[in-house]
Amino acid sequence: MNRAISNVVSIAGVDPSGGAGVLADIKTFSALGAYGCGVIAALTAQNTQAVTGVHTPPVDFLRLQIDTLFADVKLHAVKLGMLGTADIVATVADRLAHFDAPFVVCDPVMVAKSGDHLLAKSAVAMLIEALLPRCFMITPNLPEAGVLLEQRPPETVKEMYRAAERLREMLPLSSERWVLLKGGHLPGSEVVDLLFDGDRMIELPSPRIDTKNTHGTGCTLSSAIAALLPQRAGAHLAAFRPVEAAVRDARSYLLRAIASSGVLAVGQGHGPVHHFHAVWPRQSA
């Protein structure tokens, strides 16, 4: 794995505007040197301003997508995004268990940047009971953490500490599992995320970038982590533990993608980040 190109799959929804969901995940995998695969768990009618419709495939066809892909392609990591319904969540959890999928990174997508709901309330319990035990890492933002914990979202970094601890308790305690609690909803000029494995609580601060181009930031961060985990795990880095290295590098990639987003002109609402900022020719914002 040190020099091999890892295969990473996104199981998520499709955002036609390309800023979030499977399309954004594939861009992220590609930008970070992984080969991207995709399984479609939902179709949305969506742009940078609103979600106007959602269509989910029959669960038998979703199962067929996953089974057909995993039967042929060796997957080194899995990124989970919008799953939509309890039946879809249950199906994904069942197939991930069947194939013993490695490095499952779950971004528990519940609400779009526009405020539109993307996960049925009935699916939350299934997510907690069936899917979280299959995950290597979960990456909720503060509102999502509040839903998972059935409490109001954390309002301070101190409250984030307790929330991260409780979220880690929802994952299997007998093996290495991680929580990345994203603090972007807190006010201030600095954003603090917490990375927690049940033992070490790592504060990850970064400056807040003044832009409205934040569509798909959660998708992009979790897919960046999924792309980098196999690479960092095989690199035997001395500076950081592999998971911490993957998360730090993923956050750095996202920050540069946000900072470079001004060169894009996509939509009139919350625009996308620039996934290929390090690949495309430099342009002035």
Side-chain angles (χ1 to χ4, degrees):
M1 281 299 300
N2 285 20
R3 302 184 63 85
I5 295 173
S6 56
N7 302 320
V8 187
V9 61
S10 167
I11 305 177
V14 174
D15 165 19
S17 73
V22 171
L23 297 180
D25 295 344
I26 297 295
K27 293 174 187 177
T28 303
F29 299 157
S30 302
L32 293 173
Y35 181 84
C37 304
V39 168
I40 307 306
L43 299 172
T44 70
Q46 182 177 178
N47 56 28
T48 64
Q49 301 182 73
V51 178
T52 59
V54 174
H55 175 74
T56 55
V59 291
D60 287 347
F61 187 71
L62 174 64
R63 182 183 298 108
L64 184 61
Q65 289 185 75
I66 297 171
D67 288 357
T68 303
L69 177 65
F70 275 77
D72 179 51
V73 179
K74 180 176 176 59
L75 279 307
H76 301 101
V78 178
K79 183 268 170 137
L80 304 177
M82 176 188 174
L83 299 181
T85 69
D87 286 345
I88 289 176
V89 171
T91 299
V92 170
D94 174 73
R95 302 328 288 158
L96 293 180
H98 176 79
F99 290 105
D100 193 23
F103 287 135
V104 177
V105 179
C106 178
D107 183 28
V109 176
M110 297 178 181
V111 180
K113 192 73 66 178
S114 60
D116 298 286
H117 287 267
L118 300 176
L119 182 70
K121 291 182 179 180
S122 60
V124 175
M126 185 64 70
L127 184 78
I128 294 170
E129 295 169 11
L131 191 58
L132 294 193
R134 294 299 317 154
C135 297
F136 180 77
M137 181 183 293
I138 60 174
T139 64
N141 60 31
L142 299 187
E144 290 161 351
V147 173
L148 291 172
L149 297 173
E150 297 185 308
Q151 64 178 44
R152 65 170 175 77
E155 297 179 349
T156 64
V157 174
K158 183 177 180 180
E159 290 184 359
M160 284 179 62
Y161 266 71
R162 179 54 186 149
E165 291 169 349
R166 290 190 59 202
L167 288 166
R168 178 60 185 86
E169 292 169 358
M170 301 174 76
L171 305 178
L173 302 177
S174 58
S175 58
E176 182 182 12
R177 306 297 170 100
W178 293 79
V179 172
L180 177 64
L181 181 58
K182 300 174 296 189
H185 284 78
L186 294 186
S189 60
E190 186 177 67
V191 174
V192 177
D193 298 337
L194 297 181
L195 181 63
F196 185 55
D197 66 351
D199 179 29
R200 295 185 306 146
M201 186 76 74
I202 304 166
E203 284 196 17
L204 300 170
S206 60
R208 187 183 300 275
I209 299 171
D210 185 16
T211 178
K212 69 174 184 177
N213 297 327
T214 55
H215 181 53
T217 50
C219 300
T220 298
L221 179 59
S222 56
S223 56
I225 294 169
L228 292 171
L229 276 172
Q231 300 178 44
R232 299 300 178 263
H236 305 295
L237 300 180
F240 300 111
R241 297 182 182 183
V243 174
E244 183 180 347
V247 172
R248 288 183 180 275
D249 290 348
R251 293 178 80 255
S252 295
Y253 164 79
L254 176 60
L255 285 172
R256 291 193 296 271
I258 296 172
S260 303
S261 64
V263 303
L264 302 175
V266 181
Q268 302 172 64
H270 291 284
V273 304
H274 190 352
H275 296 92
F276 293 116
H277 60 272
V279 181
W280 292 358
R282 289 187 178 274
Q283 299 177 10
S284 299

